[in-house]
Amino acid sequence: GNIGGTLRFFPWLKYTTTNGVDFSSVSENRYTSERTFSGRSDAYAYKSQSNSFNWTSMHRVNFDKQYKKNDISLMLGGEAIERSRRSVGSTGWSFPNDDIREVTYAVNTEGRSSGNEQASLSYYGQLNYSFDRRYSLIASFRNDGNSDFGSDVKWASFRSAGVAWTISNEKFWKLKPVNFAKLKFSYGTNGNSRIGAYVSKGIYDFDVENSYNGGSGAIMSKGENPILSWEKTYLLNTGLTLGFFNNRISLEAEYYRN
């Protein structure tokens, strides 16, 4: 479910919030009879339950103001997200007969469980400014924190800025066939946090195949990496946009570097 709203303090200032909760529960129950081809050697059953709970909360303040030839737009916000999952499953085989299909009554049983938790917190802002429909500036920032990364590098900062010049709005522009001409340039960074839960902390796998001296055993499937942090990308973009004959024909050329 989701709940949110907007509160307008002044015509040029408003506050917006969006909050959501998502819960899902999935049950699975399978049985393969000894009368089937796949279960001909031994009937087996599988039962599992998986629950997930996610919530998100976003808050944003917008400021929009026009003053003479100046247009200013400012946005500040924050967002928190948390995800959790728990799963449990069991398998049984070698039943007394084909009418008994509960894992509990199987001669041989095996169980597994897993779970993970992830949380992130972000603060961000963006400024848009234009003067006389000729000169434009856009600047933004983000501070992001993510529980998946190492203890000392959970947070990262990302910045970007761009400028544009609408040359066709200048008084000296006399090329009537070209009714629109705009130059733009931007440079900034963004990040990637999609690495998976607990990767930086080291992951151990418990399995009956790793048992030792009659007891459960574990092996390290992924080593600890406390300095594992955000993947940061640097982006540069510049371009020229032209419109001909009242924008009946348009031309856009861009240079992009990642």
mmCIF file of all heavy atoms in Angstrom, residues 66-71 129-134 171:
data_model
loop_
_atom_site.group_PDB
_atom_site.id
_atom_site.type_symbol
_atom_site.label_atom_id
_atom_site.label_comp_id
_atom_site.label_asym_id
_atom_site.label_seq_id
_atom_site.Cartn_x
_atom_site.Cartn_y
_atom_site.Cartn_z
ATOM 1 N N GLN A 66 9.611 32.998 -10.134
ATOM 2 C CA GLN A 66 9.967 33.829 -11.275
ATOM 3 C C GLN A 66 10.086 35.274 -10.818
ATOM 4 O O GLN A 66 9.213 35.781 -10.098
ATOM 5 C CB GLN A 66 8.921 33.726 -12.383
ATOM 6 C CG GLN A 66 8.852 32.367 -13.050
ATOM 7 C CD GLN A 66 7.818 32.323 -14.155
ATOM 8 O OE1 GLN A 66 6.862 33.094 -14.156
ATOM 9 N NE2 GLN A 66 8.013 31.427 -15.108
ATOM 10 N N TYR A 67 11.180 35.927 -11.229
ATOM 11 C CA TYR A 67 11.387 37.321 -10.872
ATOM 12 C C TYR A 67 11.966 38.040 -12.080
ATOM 13 O O TYR A 67 13.110 37.776 -12.478
ATOM 14 C CB TYR A 67 12.320 37.429 -9.669
ATOM 15 C CG TYR A 67 12.637 38.855 -9.281
ATOM 16 C CD1 TYR A 67 11.672 39.673 -8.702
ATOM 17 C CD2 TYR A 67 13.905 39.378 -9.519
ATOM 18 C CE1 TYR A 67 11.954 40.980 -8.363
ATOM 19 C CE2 TYR A 67 14.207 40.688 -9.177
ATOM 20 C CZ TYR A 67 13.226 41.482 -8.599
ATOM 21 O OH TYR A 67 13.518 42.782 -8.261
ATOM 22 N N LYS A 68 11.158 38.881 -12.695
ATOM 23 C CA LYS A 68 11.552 39.591 -13.908
ATOM 24 C C LYS A 68 12.018 38.584 -14.956
ATOM 25 O O LYS A 68 11.260 37.748 -15.395
ATOM 26 C CB LYS A 68 12.601 40.650 -13.585
ATOM 27 C CG LYS A 68 12.086 41.769 -12.689
ATOM 28 C CD LYS A 68 13.131 42.838 -12.446
ATOM 29 C CE LYS A 68 12.559 43.958 -11.589
ATOM 30 N NZ LYS A 68 13.538 45.029 -11.322
ATOM 31 N N LYS A 69 13.278 38.626 -15.337
ATOM 32 C CA LYS A 69 13.786 37.712 -16.370
ATOM 33 C C LYS A 69 14.420 36.458 -15.778
ATOM 34 O O LYS A 69 15.028 35.671 -16.499
ATOM 35 C CB LYS A 69 14.810 38.431 -17.246
ATOM 36 C CG LYS A 69 14.234 39.594 -18.047
ATOM 37 C CD LYS A 69 15.295 40.218 -18.914
ATOM 38 C CE LYS A 69 14.719 41.366 -19.749
ATOM 39 N NZ LYS A 69 15.758 41.972 -20.640
ATOM 40 N N ASN A 70 14.290 36.259 -14.480
ATOM 41 C CA ASN A 70 14.918 35.132 -13.790
ATOM 42 C C ASN A 70 13.888 34.064 -13.451
ATOM 43 O O ASN A 70 12.819 34.372 -12.917
ATOM 44 C CB ASN A 70 15.599 35.605 -12.510
ATOM 45 C CG ASN A 70 16.645 36.669 -12.780
ATOM 46 O OD1 ASN A 70 17.777 36.370 -13.131
ATOM 47 N ND2 ASN A 70 16.256 37.944 -12.631
ATOM 48 N N ASP A 71 14.226 32.819 -13.752
ATOM 49 C CA ASP A 71 13.427 31.655 -13.370
ATOM 50 C C ASP A 71 14.293 30.760 -12.488
ATOM 51 O O ASP A 71 15.357 30.290 -12.922
ATOM 52 C CB ASP A 71 12.963 30.867 -14.587
ATOM 53 C CG ASP A 71 11.948 31.629 -15.412
ATOM 54 O OD1 ASP A 71 10.979 32.132 -14.830
ATOM 55 O OD2 ASP A 71 12.153 31.738 -16.639
ATOM 56 N N TYR A 129 18.227 27.164 -13.050
ATOM 57 C CA TYR A 129 18.166 28.619 -13.160
ATOM 58 C C TYR A 129 18.276 29.008 -14.634
ATOM 59 O O TYR A 129 19.096 28.451 -15.373
ATOM 60 C CB TYR A 129 19.297 29.277 -12.372
ATOM 61 C CG TYR A 129 19.400 30.772 -12.613
ATOM 62 C CD1 TYR A 129 18.497 31.653 -12.021
ATOM 63 C CD2 TYR A 129 20.372 31.290 -13.468
ATOM 64 C CE1 TYR A 129 18.578 33.017 -12.261
ATOM 65 C CE2 TYR A 129 20.458 32.642 -13.722
ATOM 66 C CZ TYR A 129 19.557 33.510 -13.117
ATOM 67 O OH TYR A 129 19.628 34.854 -13.362
ATOM 68 N N SER A 130 17.448 29.941 -15.044
ATOM 69 C CA SER A 130 17.542 30.465 -16.411
ATOM 70 C C SER A 130 17.335 31.977 -16.382
ATOM 71 O O SER A 130 16.591 32.494 -15.539
ATOM 72 C CB SER A 130 16.512 29.809 -17.335
ATOM 73 O OG SER A 130 15.195 30.158 -16.947
ATOM 74 N N PHE A 131 17.995 32.647 -17.294
ATOM 75 C CA PHE A 131 17.904 34.095 -17.392
ATOM 76 C C PHE A 131 17.481 34.484 -18.797
ATOM 77 O O PHE A 131 18.171 34.157 -19.781
ATOM 78 C CB PHE A 131 19.249 34.749 -17.052
ATOM 79 C CG PHE A 131 19.260 36.246 -17.240
ATOM 80 C CD1 PHE A 131 18.611 37.077 -16.339
ATOM 81 C CD2 PHE A 131 19.890 36.811 -18.344
ATOM 82 C CE1 PHE A 131 18.607 38.448 -16.520
ATOM 83 C CE2 PHE A 131 19.888 38.185 -18.528
ATOM 84 C CZ PHE A 131 19.246 39.010 -17.615
ATOM 85 N N ASP A 132 16.348 35.132 -18.878
ATOM 86 C CA ASP A 132 15.879 35.730 -20.123
ATOM 87 C C ASP A 132 15.756 34.708 -21.251
ATOM 88 O O ASP A 132 15.936 35.056 -22.421
ATOM 89 C CB ASP A 132 16.820 36.869 -20.530
ATOM 90 C CG ASP A 132 16.194 37.792 -21.565
ATOM 91 O OD1 ASP A 132 14.948 37.862 -21.616
ATOM 92 O OD2 ASP A 132 16.961 38.421 -22.325
ATOM 93 N N ARG A 133 15.490 33.461 -20.917
ATOM 94 C CA ARG A 133 15.333 32.389 -21.914
ATOM 95 C C ARG A 133 16.560 32.244 -22.797
ATOM 96 O O ARG A 133 16.501 31.662 -23.875
ATOM 97 C CB ARG A 133 14.089 32.655 -22.774
ATOM 98 C CG ARG A 133 12.786 32.685 -21.982
ATOM 99 C CD ARG A 133 11.576 33.062 -22.814
ATOM 100 N NE ARG A 133 11.423 32.163 -23.943
ATOM 101 C CZ ARG A 133 11.467 32.559 -25.220
ATOM 102 N NH1 ARG A 133 11.690 33.854 -25.499
ATOM 103 N NH2 ARG A 133 11.306 31.714 -26.186
ATOM 104 N N ARG A 134 17.709 32.708 -22.290
ATOM 105 C CA ARG A 134 18.946 32.604 -23.062
ATOM 106 C C ARG A 134 19.988 31.715 -22.372
ATOM 107 O O ARG A 134 20.588 30.867 -23.014
ATOM 108 C CB ARG A 134 19.548 34.001 -23.307
ATOM 109 C CG ARG A 134 18.735 34.883 -24.254
ATOM 110 C CD ARG A 134 19.424 36.222 -24.466
ATOM 111 N NE ARG A 134 19.404 37.032 -23.238
ATOM 112 C CZ ARG A 134 20.188 38.086 -23.028
ATOM 113 N NH1 ARG A 134 21.065 38.447 -23.949
ATOM 114 N NH2 ARG A 134 20.098 38.781 -21.901
ATOM 115 N N LYS A 171 19.846 38.977 -29.389
ATOM 116 C CA LYS A 171 19.438 40.037 -30.310
ATOM 117 C C LYS A 171 20.233 40.025 -31.601
ATOM 118 O O LYS A 171 19.732 40.460 -32.661
ATOM 119 C CB LYS A 171 19.583 41.389 -29.618
ATOM 120 C CG LYS A 171 18.613 41.577 -28.455
ATOM 121 C CD LYS A 171 18.794 42.942 -27.822
ATOM 122 C CE LYS A 171 17.826 43.144 -26.652
ATOM 123 N NZ LYS A 171 17.999 44.476 -26.018
#
